[in-house]
Amino acid sequence: MKRLIFVLAIIFNLVHMSYNRRQFISFLGKASVGTVLFPHYLTSCGNTSTPIKVEDITQDRIDELRKLILKALPASDRDDLLLVDGLNYHTIIKWGDNISNKETFGFNNDFTCFIPLDESNPKDGLLWVNHEYINPLYIAHQNGFTNDQTKKSIAQIDKEMYNVGGSIVRIKEENGQWKIVKNDPYNRRITAKTPIKLNWDYKIKGKSTVMGTLANCSGGITPWQTFLTCEENYDGFYGETLYDANGEPQHKESYYYGWENYYDNPPEHYGWVVEVDPKTGNAQKHIALGRFAHECCTLYELEDKRIVAYTGDDSNNEHLYKFVSSKPNSLKEGVLYVADTINGKWLALDWETQPILQEKFKDQTQVLIRAREAAKLLGATPLNRPEDIEIDPITGHIFVSLTNNKRKNDFHGSILKIEESEGKFDALTFSASTFMAGGEANGFSCPDNLAFDHSGNLWFTSDMSGNAMNKDGKPYLAFKNNSLFVIPRFGDDAGKVLRVASAPRDAELTGPWFSPDGKTLFLSVQHPGEQTKDINNPTSKWPFDKDNIPKPAVVAITGNLIEKMNRLNELNI
Ligand code: FEO
Ligand code: CA
Ligand code: CA
């Protein structure tokens, strides 16, 4: 690892000399390029290449890096998945496909995460895919149910519940094509009915094992190679418990699915970070990480194996959190903090040490269940919908997408950069600044998922909502369909925002995840045709299969360009 750090530092020092200096500084910020902090478990999973020899970094190689000029895609409103020259895709799996004789792939795929079964073979492993929510129109159509939301049968609700959660599928790459291994013993579904344990010493609403997971948006990976899947807009399914001025709980009905009318599950069982074992499917909800609309959970392992977990609450004026464990490899023992980005302080959501929390809540369990209220009592900074979070592999800075906050006239969002004091991930102070703002000047709007590739290029997706895209009179018209962008770290395009993929109509591109060898980008195409009112006249037909309706699907993006972008791989790192 030390060798990798050293070599990365040399490469970036060398490339630095050729950069447009302004772009370089704006990208890397103030940190020294010597502080390289790539989480080893992100690079070690299946990456079989050998470390680069310093003498291999010749001027020829550096010149080659600089020559990478990417011809970005223009914005498009076409109903297709369009890719820039040098990239191509194939569909790995789509909604309704059989993964075994018993199970099918769920709806609205989001976060993806690939873990090789054997570290020596990066082309054979288990793919986790989140299924965030369902579109009742399509579930009803494919299963012969009514589309009248007031007349749903229990069988229809069960079908909806089956189609959220997540899928584990074994996939293999042969001759450049990733394919699922049907009926592989590891293939399984986790659904809104799968029993899931709470990783906590106390019951919540009388239960220590709860029914299912839902609203699974983005996620993460642990250093011990398990999947994390995050429950985001949980209140759409079983509603929420709100507290009146007297502190009395009131049930706020779910705004969309109405599952509480069919199953007696309390809202408090949802809104958590969930960990799934790839091989057994065993799952647990991590109560210590708090309860809110978790977009994602991004982990960093400290030298003493304690864990730092960053997670954002994707809702207007909600907050950014970090958990720091007190024991190695624990997501239970430790302290949850919330960010005061104005003063650069992490505020402890800790009942024992915070009298203001003791006045309002009876114990730490209540603090964690009602984390949003506790955060506000402590003075946490309201943010414009914190979504995905990634750690810059070169500088160790933490990047956070702030999608938008229309109520505050922030229509295009921005990417926030957090620099922990002295580069220490368990620091209690930090500085925050805007890395890049959305808008026509930078060519993107509403940043959502982020992914750094092996060379430190930043890839990100956009999430303009379907009912505002391509609409006259809306601020999103110029951006056309949602897209995938990259900000190159090297070459003549360093620091520019380049569109590399354009989504089908109404869709959002989600869950970007690089294969261990850096040669494939797994990507979800979520909710194509979401604005459809008439099933016989859908707004999208992607991926153009025999059913003639749109289907969410996971694709593999490959090609010369990805391999070029991952230049360090070419240098045998
Ligand atoms: Fe499910 Fe915040 O995106
Ligand atoms: Ca998202
Ligand atoms: Ca989003």
Side-chain angles (χ1 to χ4, degrees):
M1 186 62 195
K2 281 207 175 104
R3 189 170 174 81
L4 172 64
I5 287 170
F6 176 65
V7 169
L8 277 168
I10 287 192
I11 288 176
F12 279 90
N13 269 317
L14 285 169
V15 176
H16 182 181
M17 295 170 204
S18 314
Y19 278 161
N20 171 320
R21 186 163 173 80
R22 189 187 58 74
Q23 286 166 344
F24 183 84
I25 298 289
S26 70
F27 195 101
L28 288 184
K30 295 192 294 275
S32 147
V33 287
T35 54
V36 182
L37 295 151
F38 211 110
H40 70 82
Y41 57 94
L42 293 181
T43 48
S44 64
C45 47
N47 190 344
T48 56
S49 51
T50 48
I52 185 175
K53 294 191 190 89
V54 174
E55 54 269 28
D56 284 349
I57 311 170
T58 60
Q59 190 56 46
D60 283 352
R61 297 269 183 145
I62 298 301
D63 290 344
E64 203 184 342
L65 293 179
R66 290 196 66 249
K67 265 188 253 151
L68 176 66
I69 296 174
L70 207 155
K71 250 178 102 184
L73 279 180
S76 171
D77 58 5
R78 223 172 95 188
D79 179 34
D80 207 345
L81 177 57
L82 305 174
L83 295 172
V84 74
D85 283 351
L87 296 182
N88 48 66
Y89 82 90
H90 55 276
T91 301
I92 302 174
I93 190 164
K94 60 186 187 302
W95 169 52
D97 284 355
N98 292 320
I99 61 171
S100 70
N101 289 338
K102 291 188 302 202
E103 309 278 20
T104 58
F105 193 67
F107 206 77
N108 271 349
N109 30 230
D110 199 300
F111 176 66
T112 72
C113 177
F114 176 82
I115 296 178
L117 276 169
D118 175 345
E119 286 201 3
S120 67
N121 183 3
K123 297 183 174 184
D124 178 4
L126 300 180
L127 183 73
W128 168 269
V129 183
N130 275 2
H131 300 297
E132 185 172 5
Y133 64 101
I134 39 94
N135 184 330
L137 176 71
Y138 296 114
I139 300 290
H141 172 74
Q142 289 297 79
N143 296 282
F145 294 123
T146 173
N147 192 37
D148 184 341
Q149 291 292 299
T150 63
K151 291 184 180 152
K152 290 195 282 194
S153 64
I154 190 88
Q156 187 167 355
I157 296 292
D158 286 346
K159 193 57 91 174
E160 292 184 358
M161 293 174 80
Y162 182 76
N163 276 284
V164 301
S167 292
I168 299 172
V169 281
R170 184 168 180 183
I171 57 171
K172 279 188 189 177
E173 192 246 276
E174 282 169 13
N175 303 319
Q177 298 280 307
W178 289 91
K179 291 202 174 109
I180 70 161
V181 182
K182 261 188 206 154
N183 282 317
D184 189 272
Y186 291 124
N187 291 3
R188 71 176 82 235
R189 286 297 321 279
I190 307 286
T191 76
K193 284 198 158 178
T194 305
I196 299 181
K197 285 187 180 150
L198 306 181
N199 182 24
W200 198 237
D201 293 336
Y202 305 95
K203 292 180 176 180
I204 291 182
K205 292 284 167 184
K207 296 276 169 74
S208 49
T209 297
V210 303
M211 186 193 280
T213 183
L214 44 79
N216 308 78
C217 186
S218 192
I221 185 170
T222 66
W224 48 93
Q225 303 282 286
T226 56
F227 307 119
L228 295 175
T229 173
C230 294
E231 298 180 333
E232 192 194 31
N233 297 313
Y234 60 90
D235 53 339
F237 298 85
Y238 289 104
E240 177 60 306
T241 305
L242 298 178
Y243 292 81
D244 66 18
N246 299 318
E248 293 300 317
Q250 311 288 335
H251 181 72
K252 181 184 160 213
E253 286 185 11
S254 68
Y255 57 81
Y256 201 44
Y257 297 111
W259 290 359
E260 71 262 54
N261 300 318
Y262 301 81
Y263 287 95
D264 189 19
N265 291 319
E268 288 81 355
H269 287 176
Y270 308 96
W272 304 105
V273 175
V274 186
E275 181 181 354
V276 181
D277 184 308
K279 291 187 176 168
T280 64
N282 290 339
Q284 52 181 326
K285 299 200 180 192
H286 290 300
I287 307 309
L289 273 58
R291 176 173 170 271
F292 42 86
H294 287 274
E295 169 78 19
C296 75
C297 189
T298 302
L299 267 49
Y300 189 84
E301 184 185 50
L302 300 170
E303 270 186 21
D304 60 6
K305 306 279 184 201
R306 286 181 302 121
I307 301 299
V308 178
Y310 295 93
T311 175
D313 184 351
D314 181 8
S315 200
N316 283 329
N317 305 320
E318 291 301 336
H319 311 294
L320 175 68
Y321 297 79
K322 105 170 163 179
F323 172 82
V324 181
S325 78
S326 54
K327 293 190 176 163
N329 298 334
S330 176
L331 290 174
K332 179 182 170 198
E333 314 286 344
V335 177
L336 181 65
Y337 299 89
V338 65
D340 168 355
T341 59
I342 309 293
N343 298 301
K345 287 184 179 160
W346 291 108
L347 311 168
L349 286 156
D350 180 20
W351 189 88
E352 291 284 346
T353 59
Q354 300 274 21
I356 196 169
L357 298 182
Q358 292 168 7
E359 280 170 31
K360 174 125 184 171
F361 304 106
K362 74 173 175 17
D363 54 24
Q364 182 65 13
T365 305
Q366 267 206 353
V367 168
L368 294 167
I369 290 172
R370 296 164 64 184
R372 285 175 166 175
E373 292 171 75
K376 285 169 189 62
L377 281 176
L378 295 175
T381 308
L383 296 173
N384 293 354
R385 295 187 50 200
E387 295 220 54
D388 209 359
I389 302 167
E390 290 299 331
I391 299 171
D392 183 329
I394 310 300
T395 63
H397 297 158
I398 297 106
F399 285 69
V400 183
S401 281
L402 302 177
T403 284
N404 61 47
N405 189 337
K406 294 171 192 169
R407 287 183 214 161
K408 287 187 170 172
N409 289 328
D410 175 8
F411 294 101
H412 301 300
S414 60
I415 300 174
L416 178 74
K417 185 169 76 173
I418 301 280
E419 297 176 53
E420 298 280 23
S421 295
E422 297 174 34
K424 292 185 175 150
F425 289 89
D426 56 351
L428 297 183
T429 56
F430 62 91
S431 63
S433 58
T434 297
F435 163 65
M436 194 172 281
E440 292 196 35
N442 284 325
F444 72 93
S445 181
C446 306
D448 191 337
N449 296 126
L450 308 169
F452 283 99
D453 66 21
H454 293 193
S455 297
N457 302 301
L458 177 58
W459 302 65
F460 68 97
T461 62
S462 65
D463 179 16
M464 298 173 286
S465 57
N467 59 13
M469 259 187 296
N470 294 304
K471 294 275 180 357
D472 286 332
K474 299 274 186 189
Y476 303 107
L477 192 61
F479 304 95
K480 300 194 176 175
N481 290 1
N482 277 316
S483 295
L484 170 72
F485 301 88
V486 67
I487 305 179
R489 193 143 202 158
F490 48 79
D492 293 344
D493 285 332
K496 292 182 188 166
V497 180
L498 305 170
R499 185 189 310 265
V500 290
S502 174
R505 278 235 146 194
D506 305 345
E508 173 193 0
L509 302 174
T510 54
W513 187 271
F514 285 95
S515 61
D517 60 8
K519 293 184 176 176
T520 300
L521 176 64
F522 299 112
L523 187 71
S524 284
V525 179
Q526 198 189 132
H527 56 73
E530 187 173 51
Q531 297 297 306
T532 297
K533 301 285 183 284
D534 175 3
I535 196 80
N536 297 312
N537 189 22
T539 55
S540 169
K541 290 189 179 176
W542 191 90
F544 311 113
D545 77 357
K546 62 178 175 31
D547 289 344
N548 237 7
I549 57 168
K551 291 181 181 174
V554 176
V555 301
I557 296 179
T558 57
N560 192 24
L561 184 64
I562 283 205
E563 300 194 19
K564 278 187 183 168
M565 295 299 286
N566 277 285
R567 283 295 172 130
L568 298 184
N569 282 346
E570 290 188 6
L571 296 172
N572 291 325
I573 283 184

